[in-house]
Amino acid sequence: MHPNSAFRPRQDDLAELLVREIGFAAIFANTPDGPRVAHAPVVLSADAITLQFHIARGNALTRHLGGASALAVVQGPDAYVSASWYSEADQVPTWNYVAIEMEGTVRKLDDDALVAQLDTLSAQHEARVGANPPWTRGKMNPALFSKMTGAIVGFEMRITAWRPTIKLSQNKPADERERVIEGVEATGHGALAQLMRHLGGDREGA
């Protein structure tokens, strides 16, 4: 989490919205072999209290996650910000980015809960891609599906802390922010430029 309060979203649901929209996280935890990370699609519960995910059974983190304290990080678009884009003197380059940290305790899911998680994931993302008809596990041989799910393990993290950083030049005057938006967009980072236009007006603490 960035220490500058200007980069905290004022909208209570913004961090949740970004987690649902991005839908992919890095899961960090300590193990007897040192810190480890896994990368996984995630499902945030409707009340934003739990985060579900699954990882390969052979992943170095899998056997250590049950009952562990973990950190999940969802990252959005990011881009370098050149100091040359500012009209003010004595500025330095920086980096604009979106990162949502969630901390909590993890529990292992049983087979039924894992399948329910997979059904939810596929339904959400099939709707996004507009597949018609959408893919469902009903299209698979049940024995093959069971074999494939046996190669992964489902988990649920109960979120005890949210630490979002939405760093979109909110600490800069409006005219300088617009110059940064134009620069970011010109260097091929259109998604970040769009976020700056739609979300960067949150200037709390600027």
Side-chain angles (χ1 to χ4, degrees):
M1 177 188 284
H2 196 287
N4 190 334
S5 62
F7 306 136
R8 306 283 181 274
R10 279 194 300 189
Q11 302 97 313
D12 291 340
D13 62 346
L14 179 57
E16 299 171 17
L17 183 152
L18 288 168
V19 170
R20 297 184 201 283
E21 180 65 24
I22 296 166
F24 196 79
I27 314 295
F28 299 87
N30 282 319
T31 77
D33 301 318
R36 294 290 184 269
V37 60
H39 306 272
V42 294
V43 177
L44 183 65
S45 63
D47 56 11
I49 291 176
T50 62
L51 188 77
Q52 289 194 356
F53 57 94
H54 62 274
I55 58 179
R57 189 171 294 277
N59 189 291
L61 195 56
T62 302
R63 65 184 182 276
H64 303 294
L65 269 178
S69 178
L71 181 70
V73 181
V74 172
Q75 291 187 288
D78 65 275
Y80 174 78
V81 175
S82 172
S84 66
W85 296 339
Y86 302 124
S87 60
E88 298 177 353
D90 297 323
Q91 300 293 308
V92 295
T94 188
W95 211 277
N96 276 0
Y97 64 94
V98 171
I100 312 298
E101 299 176 19
M102 295 158 284
E103 184 178 346
T105 302
V106 179
R107 70 180 182 92
K108 182 179 176 181
L109 296 177
D110 62 24
D111 291 344
D112 288 343
L114 169 61
V115 171
Q117 178 195 141
L118 297 174
D119 285 346
T120 299
L121 268 173
S122 61
Q124 288 178 351
H125 293 282
E126 288 291 312
R128 288 185 178 187
V129 302
N132 187 19
W135 181 91
T136 68
R137 61 185 168 93
K139 296 185 177 183
M140 288 191 67
N141 179 302
L144 179 58
F145 180 81
S146 180
K147 180 180 179 180
M148 295 182 75
T149 56
I152 59 177
V153 180
F155 295 96
E156 180 179 87
M157 183 176 77
R158 187 169 187 84
I159 303 170
T160 56
W162 286 78
R163 291 189 289 271
T165 299
I166 313 294
K167 185 175 180 292
L168 302 174
S169 300
Q170 299 98 312
N171 58 332
K172 299 296 182 182
D175 58 335
E176 297 286 63
R177 286 194 68 258
E178 186 55 40
R179 289 168 63 91
V180 173
I181 290 171
E182 291 173 359
V184 164
E185 194 162 44
T187 54
H189 298 279
L192 186 68
Q194 283 295 99
L195 274 176
M196 291 184 70
R197 288 192 176 99
H198 292 292
L199 306 178
D202 178 358
R203 298 178 52 78
E204 180 182 8

